[in-house]
């Protein structure tokens, strides 16, 4: 699977061939540090002074490299696919090898960092339901009042939580229709593309 880089990312990465390979390696270290601790403007300013370029140019270069490394790590692309993805940028053979080495050295760490950044959402454990129908009351002898009670158990951080929900059948049918519509929409090409890029 090849990476599909936008023109903006290509512009950001276009700065890399203009600097020495040691600087690119340092940008790779800064990119991983950026993922760990966030942006540090002082590092950008110091690098910009040493290279005699604007701070924005350095920041865009690091952000472009960060994007390249994170997307490659997220998709776990192979060495060959990474080389083919970078080859499109028109860099020298030496720079391509350096970027590949940066990717290979840091992909496990980047995946670990990305997994720590991902929100820990509750997941489904079990579901129990019951249908209750009230046929009459003291004031009304002939009434039919159905209700559905749902007991939903979820897992989060190894702990079980329970949610009890109660609704009428009409609302439940509407909810089921909305969920089925969402599932159908997940099968569209657009949603598949979005999900693939989010992983």
């Amino acid at each position: 699977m090849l990476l599909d880089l936008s023109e903006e990312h290509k512009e950001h990465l276009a700065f890399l061939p203009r600097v020495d390979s040691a600087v690119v390696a340092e940008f790779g270290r800064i990119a991983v540090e950026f993922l760990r601790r966030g942006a540090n403007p002082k590092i950008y300013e110091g690098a910009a002074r040493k290279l005699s370029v604007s701070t924005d140019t350095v920041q865009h270069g690091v952000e472009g490299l960060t994007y390249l490394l994170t997307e490659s790590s997220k998709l776990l692309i192979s060495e060959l696919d990474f080389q083919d993805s970078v080859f499109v940028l028109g860099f020298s053979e030496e720079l391509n090898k350096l970027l590949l080495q940066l990717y290979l050295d840091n992909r496990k760490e980047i995946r670990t960092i990305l997994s720590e950044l991902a929100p820990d959402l509750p997941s489904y454990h079990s579901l129990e339901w019951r249908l209750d129908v009230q046929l009459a009351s003291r004031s009304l002898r002939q009434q039919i009042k159905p209700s559905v009670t749902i007991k939903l158990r979820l897992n989060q951080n190894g702990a079980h939580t329970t949610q009890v929900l109660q609704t009428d059948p009409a609302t439940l049918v509407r909810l089921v229709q909305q969920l089925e519509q969402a599932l159908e929409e997940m099968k569209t090409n657009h949603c598949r593309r979005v999900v693939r890029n989010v992983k």
Side-chain angles (χ1 to χ4, degrees):
M1 171 187 285
L2 295 178
L3 284 178
D4 185 26
L5 298 172
S6 68
E7 289 302 317
E8 182 182 16
H9 290 115
K10 289 178 184 177
E11 287 174 20
H12 290 177
L13 291 170
F15 173 69
L16 298 179
R18 293 186 237 146
V19 294
D20 191 46
S21 60
V23 175
V24 175
E26 182 64 17
F27 276 16
R29 188 193 63 75
I30 293 171
V32 174
E33 204 61 32
F34 172 77
L35 286 172
R36 249 192 248 124
R37 295 194 178 95
N40 188 348
K42 291 180 183 177
I43 293 176
Y44 298 146
E45 291 168 6
R49 271 195 305 273
K50 287 179 186 173
L51 298 172
S52 301
V53 294
S54 71
T55 307
D56 286 342
T57 305
V58 172
Q59 183 175 353
H60 290 315
V62 170
E63 288 172 355
L65 192 55
T66 303
Y67 179 80
L68 178 70
L69 294 173
T70 55
E71 289 303 305
S72 303
S73 299
K74 244 194 281 188
L75 300 172
L76 272 177
I77 63 174
S78 66
E79 291 181 36
L80 186 62
D81 286 343
F82 184 86
Q83 287 175 328
D84 290 343
S85 299
V86 175
F87 180 76
V88 177
L89 299 171
F91 294 160
S92 68
E93 188 66 32
E94 180 188 350
L95 183 56
N96 289 347
K97 286 181 180 176
L98 180 62
L99 291 173
L100 175 64
Q101 196 58 47
L102 273 171
Y103 167 62
L104 295 175
D105 291 346
N106 294 304
R107 71 177 162 191
K108 287 182 182 174
E109 184 179 0
I110 291 170
R111 285 187 64 79
T112 304
I113 292 169
L114 291 176
S115 67
E116 290 170 1
L117 293 175
D120 187 23
L121 301 173
S123 61
Y124 170 82
H125 181 263
S126 66
L127 178 94
E128 297 175 24
W129 61 274
R130 182 180 72 217
L131 176 65
D132 295 322
V133 179
Q134 184 177 354
L135 299 174
S137 66
R138 290 182 186 171
S139 58
L140 292 171
R141 293 185 187 260
Q142 292 184 350
Q143 84 175 34
I144 297 178
K145 187 178 175 186
S147 67
V148 178
T149 305
I150 300 169
K151 188 176 188 180
L152 179 64
R153 287 193 181 92
L154 303 171
N155 292 333
Q156 187 169 19
N157 297 331
H160 296 293
T161 58
T162 302
Q163 301 289 331
V164 178
L165 312 164
Q166 190 169 27
T167 185
D168 61 294
T171 305
L172 186 61
V173 168
R174 176 80 173 132
L175 179 66
V176 168
Q177 288 173 345
Q178 290 296 311
L179 290 172
E180 286 174 346
Q181 183 180 353
L183 285 173
E184 284 300 315
E185 192 167 323
M186 284 300 295
K187 294 177 184 174
T188 64
N189 288 335
H190 175 71
C191 284
R192 284 184 189 161
R193 199 173 315 121
V194 169
V195 169
R196 186 174 54 237
N197 289 328
V198 168
K199 285 184 182 176

